[in-house]
Amino acid sequence: RSIQLSFYDWEGRSEILETVKTCQESISKKRLVSFNYTDKDGAVTDRIVEPYELHFSESSWYLKGFCLHRQGSRTFKLSRIDHITMNERAFHPREDWSEQGHEASYLPQFVTIKAWISPRIKDQIIERYGRKSIEDHGSGLLLATMFVPQNYMGFQLLASFGTHLKVVEPKTYVEDF
């Protein structure tokens, strides 16, 4: 009772919750799941998966499992899953799942950047990177050192701060951003 978590009640959250419930039930009953999956480029494929684990990272849910279509361990973002159903067909868990599951995890390349930030976003930077990541240079702006993905997710994160953040180093990241 000493901790309370609050989330906005977005329409999409209830849709994801239904997908989470189907995945949970399929995992506990060791039954295959079928769904349409849309990849990041918009291509849609039909998938049949042995579901093993639900994973929540940052603000998104993921299903880790063995994809019969691709014949390998895969991680599926739940917001890209459509028309999920639990099949009648059961599966026997793979003995080597734990090793495969870790190999299939998506780990982007990270880079350390420096950015001038306004005091308005200082708290957000502290929550993610800690107080030691910020240097006060007395000019009203703060210099933040951050470890971010070298991909569109990193760019999206930084862009979400709008004009309150300006990336200054390394130059290659500045150019890509």
Side-chain angles (χ1 to χ4, degrees):
R1 298 184 69 122
S2 65
I3 296 175
Q4 180 180 359
L5 301 174
S6 297
F7 297 98
Y8 290 113
D9 192 19
W10 299 106
E11 179 67 26
R13 189 173 305 279
S14 63
E15 292 173 4
I16 294 293
L17 184 58
E18 288 305 312
T19 302
V20 166
K21 287 178 183 177
T22 301
C23 291
Q24 276 184 304
E25 185 178 0
S26 299
I27 291 167
S28 68
K29 292 182 176 180
K30 295 178 179 43
R31 301 221 340 240
L32 297 172
V33 287
S34 301
F35 53 83
N36 299 117
Y37 191 71
T38 306
D39 70 15
K40 63 181 176 168
D41 298 320
V44 179
T45 52
D46 294 326
R47 302 296 183 102
I48 300 175
V49 173
E50 297 172 0
Y52 287 99
E53 182 179 289
L54 281 166
H55 177 79
F56 187 79
S57 179
E58 293 289 327
S59 60
S60 299
W61 281 99
Y62 297 87
L63 171 66
K64 293 183 177 187
F66 186 86
C67 178
L68 300 180
H69 177 74
R70 302 277 193 207
Q71 283 300 299
S73 297
R74 295 290 187 270
T75 300
F76 302 95
K77 190 171 185 177
L78 265 53
S79 60
R80 294 182 181 165
I81 290 176
D82 201 14
H83 307 296
I84 189 167
T85 56
M86 181 173 62
N87 295 0
E88 292 298 320
R89 193 170 132 211
F91 67 92
H92 296 289
R94 295 168 187 271
E95 291 180 22
D96 59 348
W97 162 251
S98 59
E99 294 87 29
Q100 289 180 3
H102 293 299
E103 290 172 12
S105 294
Y106 171 68
L107 293 175
Q109 181 181 355
F110 280 80
V111 63
T112 300
I113 67 157
K114 290 193 179 280
W116 290 109
I117 64 166
S118 79
R120 291 186 76 180
I121 64 168
K122 179 180 177 182
D123 62 325
Q124 294 173 63
I125 301 302
I126 288 172
E127 287 173 352
R128 187 176 287 262
Y129 300 105
R131 294 183 190 285
K132 292 179 182 177
S133 68
I134 298 175
E135 301 171 30
D136 189 343
H137 286 263
S139 62
L141 291 179
L142 307 164
L143 187 63
T145 302
M146 300 177 279
F147 195 57
V148 295
Q150 176 80 40
N151 62 20
Y152 77 96
M153 288 174 55
F155 297 153
Q156 272 186 323
L157 168 69
L158 296 173
S160 71
F161 295 111
T163 59
H164 298 288
L165 179 143
K166 181 178 181 182
V167 179
V168 291
E169 287 181 23
K171 294 294 182 202
T172 53
Y173 196 89
V174 172
E175 291 168 7
D176 289 346
F177 180 59

